[in-house]
Amino acid sequence: MKKQNQEGLTVKKEENFSEWFTQLIIKTELADYSSVSGCIILRPRAYQVWEKVKEACDKEFKKIKIQNAYFPLFIPEKAFEKEKEHVKGFAPEVAWVTQTGNTKLKEKLAIRPTSEAIMYESYAKWIRSWRDLPLLLNQWNNVVRWEFNNPVPFFRTREFLWNEMHTAFATEKEALAHGNKVIQKYNKVTEELMALPGIYGRKTDKEKFAGAIFTEKVHHYLPNGRIIEGTCFHYDGQNFAKAYGIKFLDKNEKENFVFQNTHAISTRMLGTMFAIHSDNKGLVIPPRIAENKIVIIPLLFKGKEKKVLEKAKEISKKLSKFSPILDEREEYSPGWKFSEWELKGIPIRIEIGPRDLEKASVIIVKRNTFEKVSIKIKYLQKQIPKILEEIQKELYEKAEKELKNSIKKTEDKKELIRLIKDKKMVKVPLCGMEKCEDNLKADTEGAKVLFIDSKESPKNKKCIICRKPAEHIVYVGKSY
Amino acid sequence: MKKQNQEGLTVKKEENFSEWFTQLIIKTELADYSSVSGCIILRPRAYQVWEKVKEACDKEFKKIKIQNAYFPLFIPEKAFEKEKEHVKGFAPEVAWVTQTGNTKLKEKLAIRPTSEAIMYESYAKWIRSWRDLPLLLNQWNNVVRWEFNNPVPFFRTREFLWNEMHTAFATEKEALAHGNKVIQKYNKVTEELMALPGIYGRKTDKEKFAGAIFTEKVHHYLPNGRIIEGTCFHYDGQNFAKAYGIKFLDKNEKENFVFQNTHAISTRMLGTMFAIHSDNKGLVIPPRIAENKIVIIPLLFKGKEKKVLEKAKEISKKLSKFSPILDEREEYSPGWKFSEWELKGIPIRIEIGPRDLEKASVIIVKRNTFEKVSIKIKYLQKQIPKILEEIQKELYEKAEKELKNSIKKTEDKKELIRLIKDKKMVKVPLCGMEKCEDNLKADTEGAKVLFIDSKESPKNKKCIICRKPAEHIVYVGKSY
């Protein structure tokens, strides 16, 4: 047996999260850097997770009549500039095409940072009467936002993949009702498939989407105390409709502007999922979203190889619906293989050696807890789905506990500063002034208002910054 | 019942193909123009076909171990320029990002016209030993080629969607064998799903891909006599491996460059499919790839509406696996609906009125031939799949006949010129000189050598242009 170099993660998640995360991404072959600064390569191990997210979303979206389409990558400068708040929000990060071949373009083209501008020109053309509503279109595409902050794979990259759903309705009521339905569909995917708990809440005006009436997002808690935004819902009211002229004749032949929503989920969610579930041995992936749910490792002792290998192949065939990997490579030792597949996050390991054979059983090891059990081969088909679901549940519950434990409450500014340093998400009373949000950010060295708590009343409470009467209770934390 | 404007296609396919095609695309809501010149919007009716092509390809690709990944949209100028032939071929059509926000970039970035340059930098990093081979990666993405010719939806657009598969092998033999397998997989999708016959053949050196050793493509015959290229296979040998330094240690610890293939299929294929099967009434889509395979139109005569509608709903439910559209709108007449769904290409129409109800039957109309049959409701579930398969077969056979009828043969230049004018594909003997290919193009007002006939011997034949001994028999035609 040849000696092979094998290097697992050399830093601990709890000690140096960002170095741990980078090693996790690179060493497990989820992604890699490219020669374009800030743009990463999604390697098959990560891309297949994205495909599963897409597939699950599409299945849910279809139930509420959303259709997929594809709009151009480019937005002419003039189209881009129609909605003033929108352009102000995105312009600093836009990548511009100014030249094709050796020819300078007459009008430069923005690479979409988001597609409102190009889509709504068409909506204005396509929507004529109430019969054309609702219009429920979704795109899965790539967008570019040329951020100048330090790039982090998945969390902050200059190009990323996402879906952007842009819907148009005859009334505000219909728009809001459909928007809430969409969020439920996303939640189904992120909670049930990706095992990610989150808290949903509305942004303050300062933090809302450029051009929206309000923005609501799901917030996830990362192990480094940072809060990351997940799926979102921007209610645009008639803002874009007025800027782009999206009008319709209602049943009474009266002309009106449409009401619009926008929703999105991006490859950021992959980073969130990898970061929350994985550990110091490597990747941990929720079984429901794992491509290969099992790895089978035959323990090949001299003289017994043939029998063991035959049995391993038989088991692999029997469990084919879990897309097992049968690692029969001769040039690696079993121990090497154990580490390899732990690093790469296969949910269940099956070990089979001559002694197990004698007992007609195998050893099963759960990736998330490393619990070991011996299971009779004849019960495998029945037991495997149960163990996979057990892992799925454990991952969700662990993440939920971490999220809940992170939430603290205070009305005292010093305490807030201490809690933020301690990587908590903190509920505090706040007045509605944008200036207090700015001061809060300065005082806490960068924490911001994440969202408004819609359930708790601010009655008789004082703003944690200016001590004037509070307008709402908000969640404060450091975001990615 | 309100009077509605309804406009079908106003020109005939056989009289003015290009105007017919444009009307087909726009009026059936397959695609639309955007404010970016040369870039189109794929509306849901076309995009769902693309999704089905993707899904079918992925299923086939998976069987031969191809994995999907995603590489950046951008290619730094230096990376792009490494393979000389390649850059020469693509540079005139490249869209360049030179500015982000208000900042000028130090090095301009090409938007990928194809991804060799960015992918192979990574291949050079990832491939170290024979253990890392073969590397079989595929991408589904958007690419940009800023053509200055007149854009045509699907056939010639400046941005298009495609897959690009880039594989690397230890030996030429493995590369060629795998390349042929890939072509078979594509054929399965284009022939069996899209009902598109084609002829596979190798390009002359003049027409091959920039940087390849050879290029082979499937060629489809359009109703206007133009030949359109379908799926393709570029064998790159070690050309790119040498330019990008993709080396590996073989089992004997000897260093060698890898051998590479590239394959692709693009949204062009959708245009090919729409153009070949559709007719003067509108869109015709092969049933296997149609999202909605049936439309049910209840004939609502006064007093009998309720009974007819109930039955129509019952039938719709029974046939749910064919995703039927039940058109129960009251504001449109049955005749209007017939034209509407013929225009939009639903393979089967089911008409049900009070008289049919009495006989416990319905009328079935096939979209491709307009054949009408009466079928007992109780036999529907059994008969529908048969009729759908019949339509699928008829479409393929009709296209195959047109393709075969287009092929003519001559050794006389005048005859060639006449046949090309008559919209034929013509087999002629040719010497190997590039100059003769140029002259052929000039003499025929734009026809070119499509591919080499590998089956027919050029023995004793003379080049149709220079009359020197022919080196091969080639297919000549006007390409899109």
Side-chain angles (χ1 to χ4, degrees):
Chain A
M1 209 171 288
K2 268 196 194 170
K3 234 192 150 174
Q4 299 291 336
N5 289 328
Q6 185 182 37
E7 206 195 345
L9 309 183
T10 57
V11 288
K12 293 210 176 338
K13 187 178 183 180
E14 56 279 15
E15 286 168 8
N16 185 345
F17 176 81
S18 39
E19 173 59 16
W20 169 85
F21 186 70
T22 306
Q23 286 197 11
L24 179 81
I25 297 307
I26 303 299
K27 291 188 177 176
T28 63
E29 297 170 358
L30 285 166
D32 204 352
Y33 296 102
S34 73
S35 61
V36 191
S37 159
C39 294
I40 62 163
I41 299 151
L42 297 181
R43 299 183 71 174
R45 198 178 311 285
Y47 194 75
Q48 66 202 13
V49 175
W50 184 239
E51 288 181 306
K52 288 216 159 68
V53 170
K54 266 166 54 173
E55 194 190 328
C57 283
D58 275 338
K59 201 179 143 198
E60 293 300 319
F61 293 165
K62 216 175 165 183
K63 290 179 193 165
I64 50 172
K65 313 258 184 221
I66 290 152
Q67 292 187 299
N68 288 341
Y70 186 79
F71 286 76
L73 173 69
F74 300 117
I75 306 172
E77 194 173 16
K78 271 194 212 93
F80 185 61
E81 287 175 347
K82 280 187 189 168
E83 213 288 339
K84 297 299 164 208
E85 288 304 311
H86 187 66
V87 67
K88 219 167 69 187
F90 284 102
E93 295 181 355
V94 167
W96 293 99
V97 172
T98 61
Q99 179 191 337
T100 60
N102 284 316
T103 311
K104 208 170 168 264
L105 288 178
K106 277 184 200 143
E107 184 185 14
K108 60 184 182 181
L109 299 171
I111 298 184
R112 63 182 163 220
T114 176
S115 299
E116 278 82 352
I118 192 83
M119 291 175 78
Y120 294 170
E121 285 191 333
S122 293
Y123 283 27
K125 202 167 130 190
W126 296 338
I127 297 172
R128 289 274 166 260
S129 100
W130 60 272
R131 284 184 197 85
D132 304 317
L133 295 173
L135 183 61
L136 310 171
L137 294 187
N138 179 56
Q139 284 199 78
W140 293 96
N141 63 24
N142 53 340
V143 288
V144 173
R145 297 179 186 177
W146 210 262
E147 292 198 56
F148 291 91
N149 287 321
N150 194 24
V152 181
F154 295 105
F155 291 125
R156 210 183 297 118
T157 55
R158 286 170 168 175
E159 181 193 6
F160 58 88
L161 305 182
W162 75 343
N163 91 303
E164 49 175 324
M165 189 189 297
H166 299 275
T167 53
F169 303 85
T171 66
E172 175 167 74
K173 202 179 148 192
E174 281 173 82
L176 295 178
H178 192 272
N180 289 325
K181 261 193 219 166
V182 171
I183 285 297
Q184 283 167 33
K185 296 299 183 191
Y186 278 122
N187 286 348
K188 218 175 144 66
V189 176
T190 55
E191 291 172 10
E192 295 177 19
L193 195 67
M194 306 177 87
L196 292 176
I199 316 181
Y200 187 68
R202 185 172 295 190
K203 297 283 169 191
T204 57
D205 281 349
K206 180 174 152 53
E207 301 287 342
K208 73 182 183 189
F209 181 73
I213 301 283
F214 69 73
T215 288
E216 292 179 346
K217 291 195 183 186
V218 177
H219 301 81
H220 303 280
Y221 178 78
L222 291 186
N224 62 345
R226 296 274 172 163
I227 312 306
I228 187 118
E229 295 172 349
T231 51
C232 67
F233 173 10
H234 306 301
Y235 173 60
D236 298 333
Q238 296 177 310
N239 285 353
F240 284 92
K242 284 174 183 166
Y244 288 87
I246 316 177
K247 289 180 279 191
F248 71 103
L249 281 181
D250 66 17
K251 287 191 183 178
N252 307 314
E253 304 273 322
K254 229 193 100 201
E255 199 176 67
N256 198 4
F257 289 103
V258 299
F259 296 83
Q260 291 181 276
N261 297 335
T262 289
H263 302 272
I265 189 174
S266 78
T267 38
R268 258 193 172 198
M269 286 305 292
L270 301 192
T272 305
M273 189 185 87
F274 299 141
I276 287 181
H277 300 311
S278 300
D279 62 21
N280 293 326
K281 295 276 189 182
L283 192 61
V284 178
I285 298 188
R288 287 189 195 160
I289 209 167
E291 173 82 8
N292 307 104
K293 303 187 199 303
I294 297 173
V295 59
I296 302 170
I297 300 180
L299 310 178
L300 301 172
F301 292 99
K302 257 204 169 148
K304 312 268 174 121
E305 290 102 330
K306 210 185 145 201
K307 258 195 172 167
V308 170
L309 211 53
E310 265 171 20
K311 201 61 176 180
K313 279 182 187 164
E314 191 190 311
I315 292 171
S316 176
K317 220 170 168 182
K318 229 191 228 173
L319 301 178
S320 65
K321 73 167 168 172
F322 306 105
S323 306
I325 295 167
L326 171 58
D327 190 347
E328 45 179 327
R329 290 176 295 177
E330 284 170 16
E331 64 269 32
Y332 300 99
S333 73
W336 191 96
K337 291 179 183 175
F338 294 173
S339 309
E340 172 79 356
W341 298 113
E342 281 168 6
L343 182 69
K344 292 185 176 164
I346 310 297
I348 286 179
R349 175 170 86 229
I350 296 181
E351 303 170 9
I352 175 163
R355 270 207 243 156
D356 306 301
L357 255 187
E358 279 166 26
K359 293 185 289 179
S361 67
V362 294
I363 301 288
I364 288 213
V365 186
K366 280 162 64 180
R367 172 62 186 88
N368 61 328
T369 58
F370 301 105
E371 283 170 89
K372 269 189 173 194
V373 280
S374 172
I375 289 185
K376 292 279 179 211
I377 292 172
K378 63 178 172 185
Y379 297 137
L380 271 180
Q381 275 163 307
K382 215 176 144 189
Q383 286 302 312
I384 292 284
K386 285 185 193 165
I387 300 169
L388 289 170
E389 279 305 295
E390 195 179 283
I391 298 174
Q392 184 85 25
K393 197 168 160 247
E394 285 165 356
L395 291 178
Y396 185 86
E397 285 173 353
K398 186 168 162 282
E400 200 183 27
K401 207 172 141 191
E402 282 163 12
L403 172 68
K404 281 189 178 156
N405 285 345
S406 81
I407 302 170
K408 302 292 168 192
K409 211 171 166 174
T410 186
E411 295 176 30
D412 173 63
K413 201 167 81 178
K414 274 189 188 155
E415 172 82 356
L416 168 65
I417 293 168
R418 194 189 61 74
L419 286 166
I420 291 295
K421 272 202 180 126
D422 198 27
K423 302 179 179 178
K424 302 300 181 192
M425 215 181 342
V426 194
K427 287 169 75 169
V428 302
L430 207 72
C431 73
M433 305 284 289
E434 205 171 304
K435 198 163 179 285
C436 279
E437 279 188 68
D438 292 339
N439 288 340
L440 181 143
K441 201 164 188 173
D443 291 343
T444 54
E445 290 174 359
K448 67 173 195 180
V449 176
L450 301 167
F451 57 93
I452 298 162
D453 187 335
S454 61
K455 285 169 205 148
E456 210 169 310
S457 159
K459 218 181 154 187
N460 299 330
K461 300 256 158 82
K462 289 202 168 66
C463 173
I464 196 165
I465 303 295
C466 70
R467 311 308 295 168
K468 284 185 190 146
E471 196 175 290
H472 32 236
I473 304 294
V474 299
Y475 280 73
V476 174
K478 289 208 173 169
S479 70
Y480 225 120
Chain B
M1 210 171 286
K2 268 194 193 172
K3 236 190 150 176
Q4 300 289 338
N5 289 327
Q6 184 182 36
E7 209 195 343
L9 309 183
T10 57
V11 288
K12 293 210 176 336
K13 187 177 184 180
E14 56 280 15
E15 287 169 8
N16 185 345
F17 176 82
S18 40
E19 172 60 16
W20 168 85
F21 186 70
T22 305
Q23 285 198 11
L24 179 81
I25 297 306
I26 303 300
K27 291 188 177 177
T28 62
E29 296 170 359
L30 285 165
D32 203 353
Y33 296 103
S34 74
S35 60
V36 191
S37 157
C39 294
I40 61 162
I41 299 152
L42 298 180
R43 299 184 73 174
R45 197 176 312 284
Y47 193 75
Q48 66 201 12
V49 174
W50 184 238
E51 287 182 307
K52 289 215 159 70
V53 170
K54 265 165 56 171
E55 195 191 326
C57 284
D58 275 337
K59 202 180 143 196
E60 292 300 318
F61 292 164
K62 216 175 163 182
K63 290 180 193 166
I64 50 173
K65 311 263 185 217
I66 290 151
Q67 292 188 299
N68 287 341
Y70 186 79
F71 286 75
L73 173 70
F74 300 116
I75 304 171
E77 193 173 14
K78 270 193 214 94
F80 185 61
E81 288 175 347
K82 281 186 187 168
E83 214 288 339
K84 298 300 165 209
E85 288 304 311
H86 187 64
V87 68
K88 220 168 67 187
F90 284 103
E93 295 181 355
V94 167
W96 293 99
V97 173
T98 61
Q99 179 191 338
T100 61
N102 284 316
T103 311
K104 207 169 170 264
L105 288 177
K106 276 182 202 144
E107 184 185 13
K108 60 185 181 179
L109 300 170
I111 298 185
R112 61 181 165 221
T114 175
S115 299
E116 278 82 353
I118 193 82
M119 291 175 79
Y120 294 169
E121 285 192 333
S122 293
Y123 283 25
K125 203 166 130 192
W126 297 338
I127 296 171
R128 289 273 165 263
S129 100
W130 60 271
R131 285 184 196 85
D132 304 316
L133 294 173
L135 182 61
L136 310 171
L137 294 187
N138 179 55
Q139 285 200 79
W140 293 96
N141 63 22
N142 53 340
V143 288
V144 172
R145 297 179 185 178
W146 210 262
E147 293 198 55
F148 292 91
N149 286 322
N150 194 25
V152 182
F154 296 103
F155 291 124
R156 209 183 298 120
T157 56
R158 287 170 168 174
E159 182 193 5
F160 59 86
L161 305 183
W162 74 343
N163 90 305
E164 49 176 324
M165 190 188 297
H166 299 275
T167 53
F169 303 85
T171 64
E172 174 168 76
K173 200 178 150 195
E174 281 173 81
L176 296 178
H178 192 272
N180 288 326
K181 260 193 218 166
V182 171
I183 285 298
Q184 283 167 34
K185 295 300 182 188
Y186 278 122
N187 286 348
K188 219 176 144 63
V189 176
T190 55
E191 289 172 11
E192 295 177 19
L193 196 66
M194 306 177 87
L196 292 175
I199 315 181
Y200 188 68
R202 186 171 295 191
K203 297 282 166 190
T204 57
D205 280 349
K206 178 173 153 58
E207 301 286 342
K208 75 182 179 186
F209 181 72
I213 301 283
F214 69 73
T215 288
E216 292 178 345
K217 293 195 183 187
V218 177
H219 301 80
H220 303 280
Y221 178 77
L222 291 187
N224 62 346
R226 295 274 171 163
I227 312 306
I228 187 118
E229 294 172 349
T231 53
C232 66
F233 172 11
H234 306 299
Y235 173 60
D236 299 332
Q238 296 177 310
N239 285 354
F240 284 92
K242 283 174 183 166
Y244 288 87
I246 316 177
K247 289 179 279 193
F248 72 103
L249 282 180
D250 67 16
K251 288 189 183 177
N252 307 315
E253 304 274 320
K254 229 195 100 202
E255 199 176 68
N256 198 4
F257 290 102
V258 300
F259 297 83
Q260 293 182 274
N261 296 336
T262 290
H263 302 272
I265 188 174
S266 79
T267 38
R268 258 192 173 200
M269 287 304 292
L270 302 193
T272 305
M273 189 185 87
F274 299 141
I276 288 182
H277 300 311
S278 300
D279 62 21
N280 292 328
K281 295 276 190 182
L283 193 61
V284 177
I285 298 188
R288 287 189 196 159
I289 209 167
E291 173 81 8
N292 306 105
K293 302 187 199 302
I294 297 174
V295 58
I296 302 170
I297 298 179
L299 310 178
L300 301 171
F301 292 99
K302 257 204 171 150
K304 311 266 174 121
E305 289 101 330
K306 213 185 141 200
K307 258 194 173 167
V308 170
L309 210 52
E310 265 171 22
K311 202 59 176 180
K313 279 181 188 167
E314 191 190 310
I315 292 171
S316 175
K317 222 171 166 181
K318 230 190 229 173
L319 302 177
S320 65
K321 74 166 169 173
F322 306 105
S323 306
I325 295 167
L326 172 58
D327 191 348
E328 44 179 327
R329 291 176 294 177
E330 285 170 13
E331 64 269 31
Y332 300 100
S333 72
W336 192 95
K337 292 178 183 175
F338 293 173
S339 309
E340 172 79 357
W341 298 114
E342 281 169 6
L343 182 68
K344 292 184 176 163
I346 310 298
I348 286 179
R349 175 169 86 227
I350 297 183
E351 304 169 10
I352 173 163
R355 271 208 240 156
D356 305 300
L357 256 187
E358 279 166 28
K359 293 184 287 177
S361 67
V362 295
I363 301 289
I364 289 212
V365 186
K366 280 163 64 180
R367 172 63 186 86
N368 61 327
T369 58
F370 300 103
E371 282 170 88
K372 269 188 175 197
V373 279
S374 173
I375 289 186
K376 292 279 178 207
I377 292 172
K378 63 179 172 185
Y379 297 136
L380 272 179
Q381 277 163 306
K382 215 177 144 185
Q383 286 303 312
I384 292 284
K386 284 186 194 165
I387 300 170
L388 289 169
E389 279 305 295
E390 192 180 284
I391 298 174
Q392 183 85 27
K393 197 167 161 248
E394 285 165 357
L395 291 179
Y396 186 87
E397 285 173 353
K398 185 167 163 280
E400 199 183 27
K401 205 173 143 190
E402 282 163 12
L403 172 69
K404 281 188 178 157
N405 286 345
S406 81
I407 302 170
K408 303 290 168 194
K409 214 170 166 174
T410 184
E411 296 176 29
D412 174 64
K413 201 168 80 177
K414 274 189 190 154
E415 172 83 354
L416 168 65
I417 293 169
R418 195 188 61 74
L419 286 167
I420 291 294
K421 271 203 181 125
D422 198 27
K423 301 179 179 177
K424 303 297 181 194
M425 215 179 344
V426 194
K427 289 169 74 170
V428 302
L430 207 73
C431 73
M433 306 285 288
E434 206 172 303
K435 198 162 178 287
C436 278
E437 278 189 67
D438 291 338
N439 288 341
L440 181 143
K441 201 167 187 171
D443 291 343
T444 54
E445 289 174 2
K448 67 173 195 180
V449 176
L450 301 167
F451 56 94
I452 298 161
D453 187 335
S454 61
K455 287 167 205 149
E456 210 168 312
S457 158
K459 216 181 153 186
N460 300 330
K461 299 257 158 81
K462 291 204 165 65
C463 174
I464 195 165
I465 303 294
C466 69
R467 311 308 298 169
K468 283 186 190 144
E471 195 175 291
H472 32 233
I473 304 294
V474 299
Y475 280 73
V476 173
K478 290 209 174 172
S479 71
Y480 223 120

